[in-house]
Amino acid sequence: MVALAATTALVLSACGGGGGGSAGGGTGDVSGGAPPAEGNDINPVDYAQVRDGGDFFWAISSLPPQYNYHQLDGTERDNKNIIDSFMPEIMKGDAQSQYQIDPNYLESAEVTSEDPQVITYKLNPEAAWNSGRPIDWTDFEAQWKALNGSNAAYTVSSTTGYDVIQSVAQGATPQEVVVTFSSKFADWKGNFLPLYPRETMSDPAVFNDGWRNGPLDGAGPFKLEQIDNTAKRVTVVKNEKWWGEPAKLDRIVYVALDSSAQPEAYANGTLSVLEIGPSVSTFQRAQQVPDTVIRTAKGPNFRHITFNGAPTSILADPALRLAIMKGIDRNILTQSQIGPIVPDAKPLGNHLFVEGQAGYEDHSGVVAFDPEKAKSELDALGWTLQGDVRAKDGQQLAIRDVIPTGTPVSEAEAKIVQQQLAAIGVQVNIESVPLDNFFEQFVYVGNFDITHFSWLGTPSPISSASGIYRLTPDSVDQNYGRIGNDKINELLVQANAELDPVRQAEIINEIDQEVWNLGHSLLQYQRPDAWAVKPNVANFGAKGFADYDYTKIGFTA
């Protein structure tokens, strides 16, 4: 998964799975109700009908701190949007949340044995890194060894899917990769996404720090042209070494802008597209821009409030977290944030499935809004009112809500939460911190009591989310609030090993119930995938569960 911190861009990607594909259909009318459960709205245009050339200006929240997506600091969604233009995504999810091979990289990927589980990949013989070296089985082997958790020198975002691989070997040729699992792993298609060269994965120093100032290699339709730290821009250009259909665009320019500045930048033509996301003000401003189409779809992304349950946190007691959650009205948060965009939106009820995915069940009743019950539970826990704020053993029940600056969605959410929790005697101190290091210096290291951002999911809901809900003593993964237990850990192993999708869904829902019972995080709503674009923008917009095909993004006139 990827994390999304605020209005339009700041997102974290849940790791362990990849992204999505490029199929199409759907409605472009965000005022007409909820987005479609399946499909997307990207103005699909045949490759031959897309104009050759042009520059595409795409807003990001800040310059990436790390271009290695598998390193802990590299999982922001902005990073992923840049990385996907020049790194191999050997599988791409489609609009129905299913992975499909990318023929530019793979001729096939098949289960060639069920016991033990063996996957055989046959690489496109033309696939090569920009360095000139062919992509081969050794890249897979190096990535497995770096991400399987066996070497603590690698600061990885997730080990899921790699920790159950027994071996990676050459098949009949160096372009045939034989991956043997030590136990069953259902979401194997989400492994090796994106694929990095062995030169990166074989050295922990290069893995952790070599890609901080820019990519060291690539193998995609684009390549890096420039990182301008002064203008805060990352520019990628058409890659002359790309063996597939050439990209239609000459270049993509990723422009770092505060979310509050992005609507006007789009209105004056500085940006080619504008992500609306859950921002009502951005939605309303986009509607005023002439010759603009609003595209929308339902995707795997959701807003939530992460709670810090680390032993040193004031919220270490799960009973306290659950009592506080009962004082927050998720319906008000949802309607205030996205009601004008999705009028019938309702709070999300599942941490692993979103609406539109088979298996979705709502288990949020354990934190149903009930301020009177919240008060009585806080009393029973010894947190009694002393004036306007509860206290226990001389400590006030005052919690830090850490949010990034310049993000109206987070600011609005924090103020609503502050007001609602004040009504049950909980003081919320809103702490705005710099957007550029919100994740690195606060979220990743647990420097918060509660915090708001979005998770960007994948077609592999269990493997991509495992690192968020697994709790291990020696690795944080993406469980930044340090909340979990052995039961969840065991169920995650079972779900990842279950090949029957019906039984797997049952286990996933068991996990979700336990996650709710622990007060891990308070879900808000499934995040609208909404974009403002000009009518001539092709193969780009609300991608839903899919990935973009970067070769096809462009203009029709």
Side-chain angles (χ1 to χ4, degrees), residues 277-284 328-347 408-417 419-420 452 524-525 528:
S279 174
V280 173
S281 61
T282 302
F283 170 62
Q284 293 170 338
I328 299 173
D329 190 337
R330 299 190 305 134
N331 283 298
I332 287 180
L333 279 169
T334 297
Q335 285 302 316
S336 67
Q337 296 298 77
I338 63 171
I341 304 173
V342 185
D344 60 350
K346 58 184 178 181
V409 167
S410 293
E411 292 169 7
E413 289 170 353
K415 289 177 181 178
I416 292 171
V417 169
Q419 182 180 30
Q420 291 181 343
H452 311 235
Q524 296 185 61
Y525 50 83

Side-chain angles (χ1 to χ4, degrees), residues 105-138:
Y105 301 106
L106 291 177
E107 292 184 343
S108 63
E110 300 174 343
V111 178
T112 50
S113 171
E114 293 187 355
D115 190 13
Q117 182 176 335
V118 177
I119 312 300
T120 301
Y121 300 85
K122 293 185 178 179
L123 290 161
N124 182 336
E126 296 184 67
W129 301 104
N130 291 340
S131 65
R133 180 176 66 78
I135 298 175
D136 64 23
W137 75 276
T138 61

Side-chain angles (χ1 to χ4, degrees), residues 300-334:
N301 318 327
F302 60 89
R303 291 282 296 176
H304 77 292
I305 302 173
T306 278
F307 280 61
N308 192 339
T312 56
S313 171
I314 191 174
L315 301 177
D317 182 357
L320 176 59
R321 296 193 296 269
L322 290 171
I324 290 173
M325 288 181 182
K326 293 181 178 72
I328 299 173
D329 190 337
R330 299 190 305 134
N331 283 298
I332 287 180
L333 279 169
T334 297

Side-chain angles (χ1 to χ4, degrees), residues 76-124:
E76 294 175 23
R77 198 277 305 272
D78 283 341
N79 301 20
K80 188 70 162 53
N81 287 336
I82 299 171
I83 290 167
D84 282 353
S85 71
F86 58 75
M87 294 303 291
E89 285 283 352
I90 62 174
M91 295 268 185
K92 284 185 165 64
D94 62 22
Q96 283 68 47
S97 192
Q98 300 295 318
Y99 280 122
Q100 310 294 340
I101 66 168
D102 184 338
N104 291 303
Y105 301 106
L106 291 177
E107 292 184 343
S108 63
E110 300 174 343
V111 178
T112 50
S113 171
E114 293 187 355
D115 190 13
Q117 182 176 335
V118 177
I119 312 300
T120 301
Y121 300 85
K122 293 185 178 179
L123 290 161
N124 182 336

Side-chain angles (χ1 to χ4, degrees), residues 8-336:
T8 55
L10 210 51
V11 179
L12 282 185
S13 179
C15 296
S22 63
T27 175
D29 180 11
V30 294
S31 62
E38 292 185 346
N40 55 18
D41 191 9
I42 61 170
N43 186 27
V45 178
D46 288 343
Y47 177 85
Q49 303 304 314
V50 180
R51 172 168 61 88
D52 290 321
D55 293 345
F56 192 82
F57 293 87
W58 187 341
I60 56 177
S61 295
S62 59
L63 295 182
Q66 167 70 264
Y67 291 86
N68 180 357
Y69 175 72
H70 300 293
Q71 204 273 346
L72 185 62
D73 294 340
T75 61
E76 294 175 23
R77 198 277 305 272
D78 283 341
N79 301 20
K80 188 70 162 53
N81 287 336
I82 299 171
I83 290 167
D84 282 353
S85 71
F86 58 75
M87 294 303 291
E89 285 283 352
I90 62 174
M91 295 268 185
K92 284 185 165 64
D94 62 22
Q96 283 68 47
S97 192
Q98 300 295 318
Y99 280 122
Q100 310 294 340
I101 66 168
D102 184 338
N104 291 303
Y105 301 106
L106 291 177
E107 292 184 343
S108 63
E110 300 174 343
V111 178
T112 50
S113 171
E114 293 187 355
D115 190 13
Q117 182 176 335
V118 177
I119 312 300
T120 301
Y121 300 85
K122 293 185 178 179
L123 290 161
N124 182 336
E126 296 184 67
W129 301 104
N130 291 340
S131 65
R133 180 176 66 78
I135 298 175
D136 64 23
W137 75 276
T138 61
D139 298 304
F140 286 71
E141 181 190 44
Q143 185 149 320
W144 159 55
K145 289 182 176 179
L147 300 182
N148 65 14
S150 62
N151 188 343
Y154 290 90
T155 308
V156 304
S157 55
S158 177
T159 61
T160 303
Y162 298 96
D163 55 355
V164 290
I165 292 176
Q166 178 177 308
S167 65
V168 176
Q170 177 180 320
T173 72
Q175 275 64 51
E176 185 171 284
V177 189
V178 180
V179 178
T180 302
F181 286 82
S182 57
S183 59
K184 296 288 194 299
F185 185 66
D187 287 344
W188 61 268
K189 291 182 180 179
N191 279 357
F192 305 104
L193 300 180
L195 184 67
Y196 275 72
R198 68 183 184 223
E199 292 80 2
T200 295
M201 297 302 199
S202 300
D203 183 345
V206 177
F207 179 92
N208 292 328
D209 297 312
W211 290 63
R212 290 195 180 276
N213 296 320
L216 299 179
D217 206 343
F222 289 88
K223 66 177 184 179
L224 179 71
E225 180 182 60
Q226 181 185 38
I227 299 173
D228 188 331
N229 291 304
T230 302
K232 294 188 175 182
R233 293 187 172 198
V234 177
T235 302
V236 297
V237 295
K238 189 181 299 187
N239 185 5
E240 75 282 356
K241 296 182 179 180
W242 173 245
W243 57 93
E245 289 185 320
K248 285 293 184 177
L249 293 168
D250 290 325
R251 59 181 52 80
I252 302 174
V253 183
Y254 298 91
V255 184
L257 285 175
D258 285 345
S259 57
S260 58
Q262 292 177 18
E264 290 308 314
Y266 173 73
N268 65 31
T270 303
L271 296 176
S272 302
V273 295
L274 172 66
E275 185 177 7
I276 295 169
S279 174
V280 173
S281 61
T282 302
F283 170 62
Q284 293 170 338
R285 181 67 184 96
Q287 289 180 310
Q288 299 169 358
V289 179
D291 199 28
T292 287
V293 178
I294 307 295
R295 303 198 181 282
T296 185
K298 181 172 286 188
N301 318 327
F302 60 89
R303 291 282 296 176
H304 77 292
I305 302 173
T306 278
F307 280 61
N308 192 339
T312 56
S313 171
I314 191 174
L315 301 177
D317 182 357
L320 176 59
R321 296 193 296 269
L322 290 171
I324 290 173
M325 288 181 182
K326 293 181 178 72
I328 299 173
D329 190 337
R330 299 190 305 134
N331 283 298
I332 287 180
L333 279 169
T334 297
Q335 285 302 316
S336 67

